Amino acid sequence: MSTYVVVGLQYGDEGKGKITDVLSAKSDYVVRFQGGDNAGHTVYAGEEKFVLHLLPSGVLQCRGKCIIANGVVVNPKAFLKEIGQIEEKGLKTDHVFISRRAHVIMPYHILLDTYREEEAGGTHIGTTKKGIGPCYEDKIARVGIRMIDLLNPEVLAEKIQKNLKIKNSLFEKYFEKPALEFDEIYNEFLQLGEKLRDRIVDTEVELNEAIRDNKNILFEGAQAAMLDIDFGTYPFVTSSSPTTGGVCSGAGVPPTSLQNLIGVAKAYTTRVGEGPFPTELDNELGEKIRKIGFEFGATTGRPRRTGWLDLVSLKHATMINGINNLVITKLDVLSGISPLKIATKYRTEDGKIIDYFTSSTTKLYNYEPIYEELEGWDEDITHARSYDELPLNAKKYIEFIEHHLGINVYLVSVGPERSQNIIRKELF
Ligand code: GDP
Ligand code: IMO
Ligand code: MG
């Protein structure tokens, strides 16, 4: 078997989409296992730019099947819209399938997400307002609607009716908003089910057979470790497990089947949405990095917060994920900035020096990063295709990360294009 898992190690937007696109050219299967259309993955393929939210980024190059597995939450309208956009560009999509077990994001999930975010005095997380959290809530509460339910009119009607009773009461009484109509939702989702009928299949058996048949399978993570529901900066997290552990429950494959665990990190850090960010650069330099790195959300268009690389959080992320291969992206963005700072420890509010990531999100706001300084480089590195072509200080930067984390960087990305990679070791 040859399995590859690509996960983000920071707060999302590390460039996972670009890396998955590159790796998927040699994959028989590309599988999304968590999250939903809260993700935003930008892929440049020659002259074309694709922004993918729900479809696996492998959809463009994968020679086999693309699977949206059971752990994903699916907005059927967003799915069809994205399929339409891809087909408009002349690409085929008949290789994309959705698990019958995947949960459906309903209109009331999106409204609930939005009302909560907009509520004065509420916990403002800065979500994407795509209904992700409320959909996962219903899944765990065992009242969710699954893709398979869209194909059974009686079950669908009963489930929507039960859900609307509670949700409408919340909307009207608590949020003072209008109630939703049953007929409209029921008819729309029945039709969506019909449109998707041929794509709604069981995926776990086929995936396990593919593992036994030694196929190349790429599991594509959305979001990232620091947004993980358990190990991120709770409550400023997403509602799924974007870590390698999430692959097993999110796709129905055993832990023993996971081999190459690839963690993607940016050469610096970004975050979109609320929550602590110890190495944040809320100044001119942060603005400069945002401009050069074009750090604006692909899903919401929000400016991303920017900051120095944080090896304290990265160590936490690589540990939780068991990463055995690192990818560093956007090294090109750091050209011309010197000195470069990398956080290796934090000073707590009572002066203690620590090198591990805390579970106390409230305390993290007051932690001060302790930096190592490295000399930068001025050269444009976007044309480098071999490690030797990198300036000495760029190599020192990469090797500092490798040494600190004890994990090899197998790929350095030096631009958004498919070809802008320095591959130090072929994994496939
Ligand atoms: P994802 O959510 O992890 O897939 O990342 P996003 O696609 O949201 O954000 C990464 C952005 O950086 C995208 O616009 C990519 O095209 C771009 N990108 C990826 N790798 C590189 C790189 O090495 N250098 C530069 N300059 N841009 C990159
Ligand atoms: P990709 O796959 C960056 C953030 C939101 C918010 C928090 C919760 O492109 O890396 P949610 O809508 O999931 O309930 O929002 O998580 N967030 C992301 N940030 N990249 C993403 O995906 C994200 N998906 C969610 O901004 O802070
Ligand atoms: Mg993104």
Side-chain angles (χ1 to χ4, degrees):
M1 65 191 166
S2 309
T3 54
Y4 304 82
V5 183
V6 173
V7 289
L9 297 177
Q10 294 159 318
Y11 299 93
D13 305 325
E14 296 86 353
K16 301 175 293 294
K18 178 202 155 170
I19 301 303
T20 307
D21 170 63
V22 170
L23 294 178
S24 65
K26 291 184 183 169
S27 303
D28 299 301
Y29 287 86
V30 180
V31 185
R32 276 273 312 258
F33 58 93
Q34 47 70 232
D37 61 324
N38 49 346
H41 304 155
T42 304
V43 178
Y44 287 91
E47 300 291 290
E48 296 279 12
K49 176 186 172 185
F50 295 88
V51 183
L52 301 158
H53 300 283
L54 180 56
L55 297 186
S57 302
V59 68
L60 308 175
Q61 296 216 79
C62 174
R63 62 187 183 204
K65 290 188 182 175
C66 286
I67 289 182
I68 295 177
N70 56 283
V72 178
V73 285
V74 178
N75 177 335
K77 282 185 274 184
F79 176 88
L80 286 169
K81 190 172 162 203
E82 231 169 282
I83 286 280
Q85 282 169 359
I86 303 268
E87 287 178 349
E88 241 172 52
K89 296 197 177 179
L91 293 174
K92 71 175 185 90
T93 63
D94 57 359
H95 60 322
V96 184
F97 297 93
I98 309 173
S99 166
R100 304 211 290 182
R101 297 175 189 271
H103 278 247
V104 183
I105 298 179
M106 300 298 290
Y108 45 79
H109 292 139
I110 297 171
L111 288 176
L112 193 52
D113 198 359
T114 307
Y115 295 158
R116 279 181 185 157
E117 282 293 313
E118 289 170 359
E119 186 189 2
T123 311
H124 184 57
I125 308 282
T127 75
T128 58
K129 298 182 185 168
K130 299 287 180 186
I132 307 297
C135 185
Y136 277 117
E137 282 169 42
D138 279 0
K139 172 178 177 173
I140 301 303
R142 296 163 293 185
V143 297
I145 294 175
R146 302 194 297 169
M147 290 304 293
I148 191 176
D149 300 329
L150 298 185
L151 306 178
N152 186 327
E154 288 81 44
V155 173
L156 183 64
E158 193 190 325
K159 286 196 171 187
I160 294 179
Q161 256 152 4
K162 274 192 181 159
N163 271 291
L164 278 186
K165 234 168 127 179
I166 297 173
K167 266 80 176 181
N168 276 342
S169 142
L170 195 60
F171 290 161
E172 288 185 299
K173 296 203 176 105
Y174 184 77
F175 290 108
E176 297 175 344
K177 300 282 184 188
L180 298 183
E181 294 296 331
F182 168 82
D183 285 345
E184 204 180 312
I185 298 179
Y186 175 67
N187 291 326
E188 184 179 25
F189 278 77
L190 210 53
Q191 278 174 26
L192 287 167
E194 274 317 306
K195 283 190 187 153
L196 295 175
R197 183 175 281 279
D198 294 343
R199 298 187 190 265
I200 304 174
V201 297
D202 277 330
T203 55
E204 60 278 5
V205 175
E206 185 169 342
L207 280 177
N208 278 281
E209 275 169 9
I211 289 170
R212 274 199 299 278
D213 292 345
N214 272 323
K215 302 281 189 202
N216 279 341
I217 307 174
L218 181 60
F219 295 98
E220 171 185 337
Q223 290 81 49
M226 303 313 292
L227 294 174
D228 182 275
I229 186 75
D230 287 280
F231 297 104
T233 51
Y234 192 90
F236 304 102
V237 291
T238 192
S239 299
S240 66
S241 303
T243 42
T244 54
V247 176
C248 299
S249 54
V253 298
T256 45
S257 68
L258 305 184
Q259 293 171 314
N260 300 286
L261 308 178
I262 304 165
V264 186
K266 251 178 223 182
Y268 49 96
T269 312
T270 63
R271 174 164 206 165
V272 60
E274 304 301 317
F277 181 175
T279 61
E280 183 165 13
L281 285 165
D282 195 8
N283 56 20
E284 255 177 52
L285 182 55
E287 183 58 36
K288 182 177 168 181
I289 293 175
R290 178 158 41 250
K291 272 207 184 115
I292 301 172
F294 196 68
E295 296 297 354
F296 296 90
T299 301
T300 58
R302 291 176 292 180
R304 296 173 182 152
R305 299 155 68 191
T306 53
W308 296 120
L309 186 67
D310 181 351
L311 288 182
V312 184
S313 70
L314 217 48
K315 205 170 187 172
H316 173 74
T318 54
M319 173 186 76
I320 300 296
N321 280 292
I323 296 302
N324 49 28
N325 286 286
L326 275 175
V327 171
I328 300 295
T329 61
K330 304 192 94 159
L331 190 66
D332 54 297
V333 175
L334 296 184
S335 290
I337 301 173
S338 193
L340 294 165
K341 293 187 184 185
I342 299 183
T344 53
K345 297 187 174 84
Y346 295 155
R347 184 176 288 110
T348 67
E349 52 200 345
D350 44 10
K352 226 172 99 187
I353 309 285
I354 59 168
D355 63 358
Y356 56 86
F357 203 79
T358 175
S359 51
S360 170
T361 302
T362 41
K363 281 191 178 161
L364 192 57
Y365 280 107
N366 302 315
Y367 284 8
E368 191 195 321
I370 299 177
Y371 292 109
E372 300 265 349
E373 280 194 9
L374 277 76
E375 253 182 73
W377 60 91
D378 285 325
E379 295 89 332
D380 172 6
I381 60 169
T382 55
H383 299 288
R385 294 294 176 271
S386 74
Y387 194 65
D388 287 343
E389 288 173 65
L390 286 179
L392 181 65
N393 287 344
K395 286 193 225 172
K396 281 188 177 168
Y397 193 81
I398 293 292
E399 285 155 28
F400 188 92
I401 300 169
E402 283 186 318
H403 188 252
H404 191 88
L405 300 175
I407 308 168
N408 289 333
V409 172
Y410 101 93
L411 191 152
V412 181
S413 173
V414 291
E417 285 289 333
R418 267 179 187 159
S419 59
Q420 290 180 295
N421 303 311
I422 295 172
I423 298 176
R424 294 169 81 198
K425 178 180 85 172
E426 286 292 346
L427 281 191
F428 275 77

